[in-house]
Amino acid sequence: MIRHNRNVSESWEFMDWKKFQKTTFRLQKRIYSAVRNGDKRKARSLQRLLLKSESARMIAIRQVTQLNAGKKTAGVDGKKSLTHEERFDLETLLSKESHKWKHNKLREIPIPKKDGTKRILKVPTIADRAWQCLVKLALEPAHEATFHERSYGFRTGRGAHDAQKVLFHNLNSQAKGKEKRVIELDGVQLTELIQSSTRKQNKTATKLRN
């Protein structure tokens, strides 16, 4: 890492970010291909390599300190932002501790809801968010390789508009197929039903063991 003590700000701003992105993306593509080919051992090896990559660490730090919408939200350490020098220090810390990272406590912020109750928003520190982003860079391509091609929720580069486009092409009057159906599911109720069923099964299993 080339670091200029006299002008750390310029050193950060003029980093070769395109090179970092290309290097990280190339590793992610290799992880994706390894998972698609069923080579889990190679995929895990490449994920470890990405976690040790300087390019990935720099991309992660830049993402949480400059690009993310909630970049100015402080964690329990009270830090809302990092100076350029602190960003370099964080990169050094990640390079040494990424494989044995220990999270700080989460800052709890009560958010009022329309019904008068409150939900608790838990905010990690900037350093913890950078580590999470680094791990995300390693995990994301592996999961992308196994997702269904028509899955659009919480995926990079995909959203509701993509789902709407597929629905339009498959359900419009000119699309082939006489019997067309739209099935609407309530995910919350389905989850509650599964949890209730699981609890009942656990109680039954406990009684049988006793």
Side-chain angles (χ1 to χ4, degrees), residues 168-182:
F168 175 79
H169 285 303
N170 285 276
L171 297 176
N172 73 76
S173 59
Q174 296 179 352
K176 294 181 179 179
K178 294 181 179 179
E179 296 183 359
K180 302 172 185 178
R181 299 288 186 271
V182 175

Side-chain angles (χ1 to χ4, degrees), residues 61-93:
I61 293 169
R62 184 170 183 250
Q63 184 69 42
V64 301
T65 59
Q66 290 182 246
L67 305 179
N68 282 357
K71 59 182 179 293
K72 294 292 184 181
T73 307
V76 291
D77 58 359
K79 288 188 176 182
K80 292 185 177 181
S81 61
L82 298 182
T83 65
H84 291 93
E85 188 168 2
E86 286 174 329
R87 294 173 192 177
F88 282 117
D89 291 337
L90 178 54
E91 191 278 329
T92 302
L93 180 63

Side-chain angles (χ1 to χ4, degrees), residues 112-118:
K113 297 172 69 175
K114 291 182 179 179
D115 60 2
T117 60
K118 294 181 179 180

Side-chain angles (χ1 to χ4, degrees), residues 82-194:
L82 298 182
T83 65
H84 291 93
E85 188 168 2
E86 286 174 329
R87 294 173 192 177
F88 282 117
D89 291 337
L90 178 54
E91 191 278 329
T92 302
L93 180 63
L94 285 173
S95 68
K96 294 178 180 179
E97 305 290 334
S98 64
H99 64 292
K100 54 179 179 179
W101 189 265
K102 292 184 179 180
H103 269 270
N104 292 285
K105 291 183 179 180
L106 299 172
R107 177 189 172 199
E108 296 186 353
I109 304 174
I111 307 295
K113 297 172 69 175
K114 291 182 179 179
D115 60 2
T117 60
K118 294 181 179 180
R119 69 179 182 89
I120 302 299
L121 176 65
K122 297 185 178 182
V123 183
T125 63
I126 293 176
D128 287 338
R129 295 203 294 268
W131 182 82
Q132 290 170 3
C133 187
L134 178 62
V135 173
K136 176 177 175 286
L137 291 173
L139 292 178
E140 199 168 57
H143 287 283
E144 279 292 324
T146 58
F147 274 139
H148 192 279
E149 62 178 352
R150 291 289 173 83
S151 172
Y152 299 100
F154 302 100
R155 293 180 68 182
T156 302
R158 296 195 180 200
H161 291 295
D162 298 300
Q164 289 172 351
K165 185 177 180 180
V166 171
L167 288 173
F168 175 79
H169 285 303
N170 285 276
L171 297 176
N172 73 76
S173 59
Q174 296 179 352
K176 294 181 179 179
K178 294 181 179 179
E179 296 183 359
K180 302 172 185 178
R181 299 288 186 271
V182 175
I183 301 174
E184 183 178 356
L185 299 175
D186 189 327
V188 175
Q189 288 187 0
L190 180 61
T191 303
E192 291 175 351
L193 181 64
I194 293 172

Side-chain angles (χ1 to χ4, degrees), residues 1-5 7-18 20 54-67 82-92 94 130:
M1 168 66 67
I2 299 174
R3 179 169 169 178
H4 305 288
N5 292 326
N7 200 332
V8 180
S9 178
E10 284 189 10
S11 180
W12 176 268
E13 294 297 337
F14 289 99
M15 298 295 288
D16 194 345
W17 295 110
K18 287 186 178 181
F20 290 155
E54 176 190 348
S55 297
R57 291 194 300 270
M58 295 300 289
I59 291 295
I61 293 169
R62 184 170 183 250
Q63 184 69 42
V64 301
T65 59
Q66 290 182 246
L67 305 179
L82 298 182
T83 65
H84 291 93
E85 188 168 2
E86 286 174 329
R87 294 173 192 177
F88 282 117
D89 291 337
L90 178 54
E91 191 278 329
T92 302
L94 285 173

